[in-house]
Amino acid sequence: MSNTSDKLTLIVEFSDGLDTLIKDNLLKEVDGRPQATLTLASEHSGRPTSIRDLVEYIRDNCIKRNPELFYMENGVRPGILVLINDVDWELTDDGVDKYDQKLENNDNVIFISTLHGG
């Protein structure tokens, strides 16, 4: 039987049009913001689950169309801001690659598109 500590529950929000790429059955509106509650293993390949694992999980399991608008070249497409618990992942200065940042149970991850047509 699986232990709940073997799993991470993450609240993932998709803003400014990114929600249109996500499978409808995964999204719900909370305070007017589209979000999904995702459950991932707490470890991948013997290491703690990271933002890289979440991005790959979204690419492989949550995108319904146009994955290239979310993911390219082994990561989030340029022009998408990523906030982890309301902190821009670019601003963390802990000596770890931004994709290797460890995720904790109940973390909130927000993907915000800055790409807009005109």
Side-chain angles (χ1 to χ4, degrees), residues 55-108:
V55 168
E56 290 173 355
Y57 180 87
I58 292 169
R59 177 198 64 199
D60 296 341
N61 299 288
C62 302
I63 301 287
K64 66 181 175 185
R65 65 180 176 87
N66 302 94
E68 70 280 0
L69 296 177
F70 178 77
Y71 186 92
M72 64 185 290
E73 298 178 19
N74 300 317
V76 174
R77 180 182 180 90
I80 295 177
L81 302 176
V82 181
L83 305 178
I84 302 171
N85 299 321
D86 295 323
V87 177
D88 186 333
W89 72 338
E90 299 279 356
L91 300 178
T92 59
D93 188 18
D94 54 9
V96 175
D97 180 281
K98 62 187 177 185
Y99 284 101
D100 293 330
Q101 292 180 54
K102 179 182 171 186
L103 293 172
E104 301 285 343
N105 196 43
N106 297 316
D107 275 353
N108 183 293

Side-chain angles (χ1 to χ4, degrees), residues 9-58:
T9 299
L10 305 169
I11 305 302
V12 184
E13 297 180 32
F14 301 92
S15 296
D16 296 312
L18 289 176
D19 56 308
T20 63
L21 305 177
I22 305 302
K23 293 177 182 175
D24 296 330
N25 64 324
L26 296 176
L27 291 175
K28 64 180 178 180
E29 290 267 333
V30 177
D31 296 327
R33 296 161 40 178
Q35 64 179 227
T37 301
L38 302 178
T39 303
L40 281 72
S42 61
E43 289 188 353
H44 285 82
S45 303
R47 58 173 173 67
T49 297
S50 67
I51 190 74
R52 179 183 319 279
D53 300 311
L54 174 62
V55 168
E56 290 173 355
Y57 180 87
I58 292 169

